[in-house]
Amino acid sequence: MNHSALHMHQKVTFAVNRYEIFADNNGEPGPLIAFVEQKRLKFKEEVTIYTDSTKRTVLAAFKARKVIDLGSGYDVADADGRSIGLFRKDFGKSLLNSTWHLDQAGAGTATGSERSQGIAVLRRVWNFLPIIENIPFPFRYHFDFVRDGKPVFSVDKKTWLRDHYRIEIADAEVDRRLVIAQAVAVDALQSR
């Protein structure tokens, strides 16, 4: 899997957040390459990424290191349980602007944060307003991941009300399974 762009669509159901990740086909979603169902209300987060909706073949998985994850990490492993890397939320920086750190062996740390400080603050205010907090956040937001000042990948929300994202991958060396895991986390672990 060596795609430079992906599309991720989330579908919310009663018990799970469902994600479908598609290869890019001239700017539009192409073939399905990954399928994720994240169960809600788990004490220790564990998410399996499959190659399709039959859930027969595992592509990767990520698992929280601790039950309470304010600054904890999530280990990402391949289908055989070998480490691909890890990601973690920077709790302190995320108070104003959600910030993640992504580590891949031999590649160093990529740091991702929300592109727009204004949207980041608005999203936090939205979550504290009674009644409105239960309405999906209607604005688009974007995360940019960089390493040593160079772009690694970005996650851009492309629709106003539905959770459809375009993932642009600038670093040819970053493991696509790690990118998919982080993109799912940007949405699922922040209750978007």
Side-chain angles (χ1 to χ4, degrees):
M1 181 180 358
N2 198 19
H3 308 285
S4 61
L6 304 169
H7 298 264
M8 181 172 77
H9 294 179
Q10 179 197 22
K11 294 180 181 178
V12 178
T13 66
F14 179 71
V16 299
N17 291 323
R18 183 171 294 135
Y19 297 89
E20 296 173 322
I21 295 87
F22 304 91
D24 182 66
N25 183 16
N26 297 319
E28 296 296 324
L32 180 71
I33 61 166
F35 180 84
V36 177
E37 287 186 331
Q38 178 236 3
K39 293 179 184 171
R40 292 196 206 130
L41 304 172
K42 287 190 75 171
F43 286 110
K44 189 170 181 183
E45 194 68 52
E46 187 170 356
V47 175
T48 303
I49 303 166
Y50 299 94
T51 57
D52 60 34
S53 61
T54 65
K55 300 195 284 187
R56 288 189 201 122
T57 306
V58 173
L59 182 64
F62 64 87
K63 183 176 183 177
R65 290 182 169 179
K66 298 179 183 175
V67 174
I68 298 176
D69 69 346
L70 296 178
S72 180
Y74 295 82
D75 293 301
V76 184
D78 68 10
D80 296 321
R82 292 183 301 256
S83 176
I84 297 171
L86 67 94
F87 59 84
R88 65 193 179 285
K89 190 169 187 179
D90 188 320
F91 180 72
K93 289 183 179 179
S94 292
L95 292 174
L96 292 177
N97 188 322
S98 294
T99 302
W100 293 85
H101 301 290
L102 178 75
D103 293 306
Q104 178 178 325
T109 300
T111 300
S113 59
E114 292 176 271
R115 188 177 303 155
S116 169
Q117 183 67 46
I119 293 292
V121 170
L122 179 60
R123 194 170 49 75
R124 279 151 184 78
V125 170
W126 184 276
N127 288 334
F128 286 108
L129 297 174
I131 298 173
I132 291 178
E133 68 180 341
N134 297 320
I135 300 171
F137 186 70
F139 301 98
R140 294 185 286 181
Y141 44 85
H142 317 284
F143 282 80
D144 295 313
F145 286 79
V146 297
R147 182 186 308 113
D148 300 326
K150 296 179 182 171
V152 177
F153 68 96
S154 62
V155 180
D156 296 318
K157 185 175 181 188
K158 301 310 282 181
T159 54
W160 291 100
L161 295 175
R162 299 172 67 190
D163 285 348
H164 289 188
Y165 302 88
R166 182 171 168 87
I167 303 162
E168 292 282 342
I169 304 168
D171 182 346
E173 302 302 315
V174 68
D175 191 306
R176 290 352 185 220
R177 298 167 298 178
L178 196 54
V179 170
I180 290 168
Q182 179 69 77
V184 168
V186 161
D187 185 272
L189 301 181
Q190 298 194 132
S191 303
R192 294 198 199 282

Coordinates of all heavy atoms in Angstrom, one line a residue, residues 44-47 61-66 73-77 87:
K44 N -10.5 0.6 28.0 CA -9.2 0.7 27.4 C -9.3 0.5 25.9 O -9.7 -0.5 25.4 CB -8.3 -0.4 28.0 CG -6.8 -0.3 27.6 CD -6.0 -1.2 28.4 CE -4.5 -1.1 28.0 NZ -3.7 -2.0 28.7
E45 N -9.0 1.6 25.2 CA -9.3 1.7 23.8 C -8.4 0.6 23.0 O -7.2 0.6 23.2 CB -9.0 3.1 23.2 CG -9.5 3.3 21.9 CD -11.0 3.4 21.8 OE1 -11.6 4.1 22.6 OE2 -11.6 2.6 21.0
E46 N -9.1 -0.1 22.1 CA -8.4 -1.1 21.2 C -9.2 -1.1 19.9 O -10.4 -1.4 19.9 CB -8.3 -2.5 21.9 CG -7.5 -3.4 21.1 CD -7.3 -4.8 21.8 OE1 -7.7 -4.9 23.0 OE2 -6.7 -5.6 21.2
V47 N -8.5 -0.8 18.8 CA -9.1 -0.7 17.5 C -8.4 -1.5 16.5 O -7.2 -1.5 16.4 CB -9.2 0.8 17.1 CG1 -9.7 0.9 15.7 CG2 -9.9 1.7 18.1
A61 N -3.6 -2.7 14.0 CA -4.4 -2.4 15.2 C -3.7 -1.4 16.0 O -2.5 -1.3 16.0 CB -4.7 -3.7 15.9
F62 N -4.5 -0.7 16.8 CA -3.9 0.2 17.8 C -4.6 0.0 19.2 O -5.7 -0.3 19.2 CB -3.8 1.7 17.4 CG -5.1 2.4 17.2 CD1 -5.7 3.0 18.3 CD2 -5.6 2.5 16.0 CE1 -6.9 3.8 18.1 CE2 -6.8 3.3 15.7 CZ -7.4 3.9 16.8
K63 N -3.8 0.1 20.2 CA -4.2 -0.2 21.6 C -3.7 0.8 22.6 O -2.5 1.2 22.5 CB -3.8 -1.6 22.0 CG -4.3 -2.0 23.3 CD -3.9 -3.5 23.5 CE -4.4 -4.0 24.8 NZ -4.1 -5.4 25.0
A64 N -4.5 1.3 23.5 CA -4.1 2.3 24.5 C -3.2 1.6 25.5 O -3.4 0.4 25.8 CB -5.3 2.8 25.2
R65 N -2.1 2.3 25.9 CA -1.2 1.8 26.9 C -1.9 1.8 28.3 O -1.5 1.0 29.1 CB 0.1 2.6 26.9 CG 0.9 2.4 25.7 CD 2.2 3.1 25.8 NE 3.0 2.7 24.7 CZ 4.2 3.2 24.5 NH1 4.7 4.2 25.2 NH2 5.0 2.8 23.5
K66 N -2.7 2.7 28.5 CA -3.4 2.9 29.9 C -4.9 3.1 29.7 O -5.4 3.4 28.6 CB -2.8 4.1 30.6 CG -1.3 4.0 30.9 CD -0.9 5.3 31.6 CE 0.6 5.2 31.9 NZ 1.1 6.5 32.4
G73 N 0.1 6.8 25.4 CA 0.2 6.5 24.0 C -0.6 5.4 23.5 O -1.3 4.7 24.3
Y74 N -0.7 5.2 22.3 CA -1.4 4.1 21.6 C -0.3 3.4 20.7 O 0.3 4.0 19.8 CB -2.5 4.6 20.7 CG -3.6 5.3 21.5 CD1 -3.5 6.6 21.9 CD2 -4.7 4.6 21.9 CE1 -4.4 7.2 22.7 CE2 -5.7 5.2 22.6 CZ -5.6 6.5 23.0 OH -6.5 7.1 23.8
D75 N -0.1 2.1 21.0 CA 0.8 1.3 20.2 C 0.1 0.8 19.0 O -1.1 0.3 19.0 CB 1.3 0.1 21.0 CG 2.2 0.6 22.2 OD1 3.2 1.2 21.9 OD2 1.8 0.3 23.4
V76 N 0.7 0.9 17.8 CA 0.2 0.4 16.6 C 1.0 -0.8 16.1 O 2.2 -0.7 16.1 CB 0.2 1.6 15.5 CG1 -0.4 1.1 14.2 CG2 -0.4 2.8 16.0
A77 N 0.3 -1.8 15.8 CA 1.0 -3.1 15.4 C 0.4 -3.6 14.0 O -0.7 -3.3 13.7 CB 0.8 -4.2 16.4
F87 N 1.4 6.5 18.6 CA 0.9 7.9 18.6 C 0.4 8.3 20.0 O 0.0 7.4 20.7 CB -0.1 8.2 17.5 CG -1.4 7.4 17.6 CD1 -2.4 7.8 18.4 CD2 -1.5 6.3 16.8 CE1 -3.6 7.1 18.5 CE2 -2.7 5.6 16.9 CZ -3.7 6.0 17.7

